[in-house]
Amino acid sequence: MNTVAEQVASHLLKFQIPSLETKYIFVTGGVVSSLGKGIISASLACLLKARGYRVTIQKFDPYINIDPGTLNPYEHGECYVTVDGQETDLDLGHYERFTNVRTTRANNVTTGRIYQNVINNERRGDYLGKTVQIIPHITDEIKRNVKLLGNTGDYDFIITEIGGTVGDIESLPFLESVRQLRWEMGRNAVCIHLTYVPFLHAAKELKTKPTQHSVKQLQEVGIQPDLLVLRTEHDIPAPMRKKIAQFCNVDPDSVIQSVDLPTIYEVPMALHAQRFDQTVLRKVGIEPQGEPDMKRWINFIDKMQNATEKVTIGLVGKYVELQDAYKSINESLFQAATYNDRRLDLRYIHSERLNDSNADELLSGLDGIIVAPGFGQRGIEGKFTALRWAREHDVPTFGICLGMQCMVIEWARDVLGLADANSTEMDHTTSNNVIDLMEEQKHISNMGGTMRLGAYDCELRPDSRAARAYGSTRISERHRHRYEFNEDYRERFEASGMRCTGINPASGLVEVVEVPSLRWYVGTQYHPEYSSTVESPSPLFLDFVAAAVAYRDERAAKA
């Protein structure tokens, strides 16, 4: 068996890539937020990786929270968890989905982390009595974190996305750090600026002025972008792109448009068609050789575009107004549907509005139901309603984290007859605490970064649905929770038909529950959606969607 080093060397030789000094690519945004810097960064990483380069992406966020773990999903969308247990921005999910490269704590840094590190240094006396200032102390700490992954020698390219919008006060220290790094790194550093070219429907015209002003703001802080990516709803004519290049001091072939597409997974190929990856390589002094190996990616796109029949999945949760709150679940379902040759028809069902009187109306016609993770009492009764309805109608059902805990509570109430069964998170006075606070969590007072976080091993029963889906009895998945299945009730659940089929070998924590007598009724304490990528879709999501497809076909055959 070749060592990892030998495999890497063989991979580089295949693409005739010499050993590189690490190159740094900075991605900034202007005009408005939510333009898709994360998708552009992930798409570039996908293309460079397909050329044989070792690539990773990091996100620098300008807010003062230490991490997104304490942020409300309405504020920030999904909190993504890395394998090493860091709560991070949802863009890291895109990074992993597009590159199949695992991220860590080093891939997401906030202003809060930067200031925390600097203040800790000052308290230790590391600055030898000097006055601590934005420049050089904060900017030096930012630069240190930018180069942290590059210093490992594991990567040829480090793509750094700067959160926020040029002109924001919060982003200034990060932009100043980028300015300094570009001078220090010379040709080993490149800046890509993503801006918006709006279309005014009244005038029926695209307008370039916002882009010009955005670049001007970037130039005012000392950064001249090397490439521009123009987000737009309409095709930008070549003369207009040339005009933008002239006004913004950018080479004409370095102005790339990013037109709205049906899915984010089509972006890499659309950028490659404009020679985006080739242009970036030339900017850092590398002459592109051949074409990126995108066979698997193109196969996925072909399956996605050629799927004609659909599969309808209902997602029951309390944050459904903001779809980014369940971003990884949405994308895992989309990937699984695509690999099952189906179009995903995803329906959001607000758990606060779901009850016994409208369950038939809202849930009938679904091929599968997912009960989403979350925290707190709000919307919990609607989740119980969904689970009872799904169980009684034998609809394929998947509970994730709190969704799995709700499966346990609903079963305890309706099957075991424990009317007051609950989680102590919802009712600390319940006499049947079938879900209880983990022992190591009972003396924790700080909320941030203190849950059971990151990847843990799980041993699956060989005859379980989960083991068949994974094709293995030993897996590792990521967690984000404080409460767990109460081991005191395990025998009663097993005897009544709900089996505990996945166990953490170190702690004995119940990780997976199943009801074998039903078509597909599985709950996981962990979050399998975090590890699902285009190249390596989650086996459990694939199996769940396959069961939903089979259920749909079965009903169609009877109709």
Side-chain angles (χ1 to χ4, degrees), residues 114-371:
I114 296 295
Y115 274 83
Q116 185 182 57
N117 292 345
V118 169
I119 290 169
N120 288 341
N121 292 344
E122 184 272 336
R123 292 291 84 187
R124 285 196 303 268
D126 292 357
Y127 301 123
L128 303 176
K130 290 185 180 294
T131 302
V132 178
Q133 298 176 289
I134 301 294
I135 302 172
H137 301 99
I138 296 298
T139 53
D140 281 353
E141 180 63 18
I142 293 170
K143 288 158 62 180
R144 186 186 73 82
N145 279 271
V146 167
K147 294 187 287 188
L148 210 56
L149 289 166
N151 291 338
T152 64
D154 294 334
Y155 302 104
D156 301 313
F157 285 90
I158 309 291
I159 300 174
T160 303
E161 178 191 345
I162 305 297
T165 306
V166 170
D168 294 345
I169 292 174
E170 296 92 337
S171 299
L172 286 174
F174 291 103
L175 295 177
E176 169 59 20
S177 301
V178 171
R179 184 195 69 78
Q180 293 179 25
L181 285 166
R182 292 197 69 211
W183 278 104
E184 294 169 14
M185 294 175 175
R187 203 172 182 183
N188 286 332
V190 168
C191 179
I192 298 170
H193 189 53
L194 176 64
T195 77
Y196 181 50
V197 178
F199 180 82
L200 298 185
H201 287 275
K204 293 183 171 54
E205 286 183 331
L206 288 160
K207 291 296 182 181
T208 65
K209 195 64 71 177
T211 289
Q212 294 175 44
H213 284 305
S214 176
V215 172
K216 183 180 179 182
Q217 281 187 302
L218 197 58
Q219 291 168 337
E220 285 174 354
V221 297
I223 300 173
Q224 168 62 49
D226 298 285
L227 296 93
L228 294 178
V229 178
L230 312 176
R231 282 289 286 114
T232 176
E233 293 93 349
H234 298 268
D235 182 72
I236 303 173
M240 185 172 285
R241 295 201 299 272
K242 184 176 180 181
K243 172 187 173 183
I244 291 172
Q246 290 174 333
F247 276 82
C248 297
N249 300 331
V250 175
D251 296 330
D253 63 353
S254 298
V255 178
I256 309 294
Q257 65 173 342
S258 180
V259 183
D260 286 353
L261 293 168
T263 73
I264 59 175
Y265 300 107
E266 296 172 65
V267 175
M269 299 311 299
L271 294 177
H272 177 63
Q274 300 173 75
R275 306 183 68 80
F276 181 48
D277 47 319
Q278 294 97 316
T279 302
V280 170
L281 288 171
R282 290 193 177 100
K283 292 290 182 183
V284 295
I286 300 172
E287 187 58 34
Q289 301 292 323
E291 289 291 306
D293 182 4
M294 297 289 284
K295 291 187 184 70
R296 294 180 67 183
W297 197 273
I298 292 170
N299 176 61
F300 177 79
I301 299 297
D302 286 344
K303 290 177 78 69
M304 177 188 74
Q305 293 176 339
N306 291 326
T308 55
E309 296 186 62
K310 67 180 181 180
V311 59
T312 303
I313 304 295
L315 194 156
V316 181
K318 64 179 177 181
Y319 299 118
V320 293
E321 305 99 320
L322 183 68
Q323 295 174 18
D324 275 357
Y326 303 115
K327 193 64 179 175
S328 290
I329 291 176
N330 298 350
E331 298 306 324
S332 298
L333 284 170
F334 184 86
Q335 293 159 12
T338 299
Y339 281 113
N340 275 283
D341 297 310
R342 296 290 172 126
R343 290 186 297 109
L344 176 65
D345 175 18
L346 182 56
R347 300 184 185 178
Y348 296 95
I349 300 160
H350 203 303
S351 58
E352 277 194 290
R353 299 170 193 155
L354 179 63
N355 52 56
D356 290 339
S357 64
N358 63 13
D360 279 332
E361 175 189 351
L362 295 176
L363 302 178
S364 291
L366 297 176
D367 305 319
I369 295 172
I370 281 196
V371 180

Side-chain angles (χ1 to χ4, degrees), residues 315-520:
L315 194 156
V316 181
K318 64 179 177 181
Y319 299 118
V320 293
E321 305 99 320
L322 183 68
Q323 295 174 18
D324 275 357
Y326 303 115
K327 193 64 179 175
S328 290
I329 291 176
N330 298 350
E331 298 306 324
S332 298
L333 284 170
F334 184 86
Q335 293 159 12
T338 299
Y339 281 113
N340 275 283
D341 297 310
R342 296 290 172 126
R343 290 186 297 109
L344 176 65
D345 175 18
L346 182 56
R347 300 184 185 178
Y348 296 95
I349 300 160
H350 203 303
S351 58
E352 277 194 290
R353 299 170 193 155
L354 179 63
N355 52 56
D356 290 339
S357 64
N358 63 13
D360 279 332
E361 175 189 351
L362 295 176
L363 302 178
S364 291
L366 297 176
D367 305 319
I369 295 172
I370 281 196
V371 180
F375 298 92
Q377 174 67 36
R378 186 169 67 87
I380 202 78
E381 293 299 326
K383 292 183 177 182
F384 296 147
T385 297
L387 288 164
R388 183 169 60 255
W389 188 95
R391 183 170 55 79
E392 291 175 348
H393 289 79
D394 199 5
V395 177
T397 306
F398 192 178
I400 300 174
C401 198
L402 180 61
M404 171 266 203
Q405 294 174 3
C406 288
M407 279 182 161
V408 170
I409 295 167
E410 191 280 325
W411 185 276
R413 290 179 180 181
D414 204 53
V415 178
L416 296 182
L418 306 176
D420 70 335
N422 215 329
S423 165
T424 50
E425 179 185 9
M426 315 306 168
D427 179 8
H428 67 274
T429 65
T430 178
S431 59
N432 285 293
N433 54 335
V434 292
I435 303 294
D436 201 5
L437 187 64
M438 301 178 71
E439 192 61 38
E440 62 264 31
Q441 294 284 321
K442 291 183 177 178
H443 304 291
I444 290 175
S445 56
N446 285 349
M447 299 299 291
T450 56
M451 286 184 278
R452 179 182 175 85
L453 294 165
Y456 289 87
D457 289 336
C458 175
E459 290 184 351
L460 300 171
R461 286 193 190 182
D463 61 343
S464 65
R465 183 94 204 200
R468 292 196 298 273
Y470 282 101
S472 174
T473 58
R474 184 76 177 233
I475 62 169
S476 177
E477 294 279 12
R478 302 178 217 184
H479 295 67
R480 187 176 184 244
H481 66 105
R482 295 185 192 278
Y483 293 81
E484 65 170 318
F485 182 97
N486 189 338
E487 181 68 21
D488 292 344
Y489 289 83
R490 183 170 170 180
E491 286 188 11
R492 296 172 70 177
F493 276 89
E494 294 269 6
S496 63
M498 178 174 276
R499 300 174 66 200
C500 301
T501 59
I503 306 294
N504 176 268
S507 66
L509 170 71
V510 173
E511 302 267 20
V512 184
V513 297
E514 301 180 15
V515 179
S517 61
L518 299 176
R519 277 191 180 86
W520 206 100

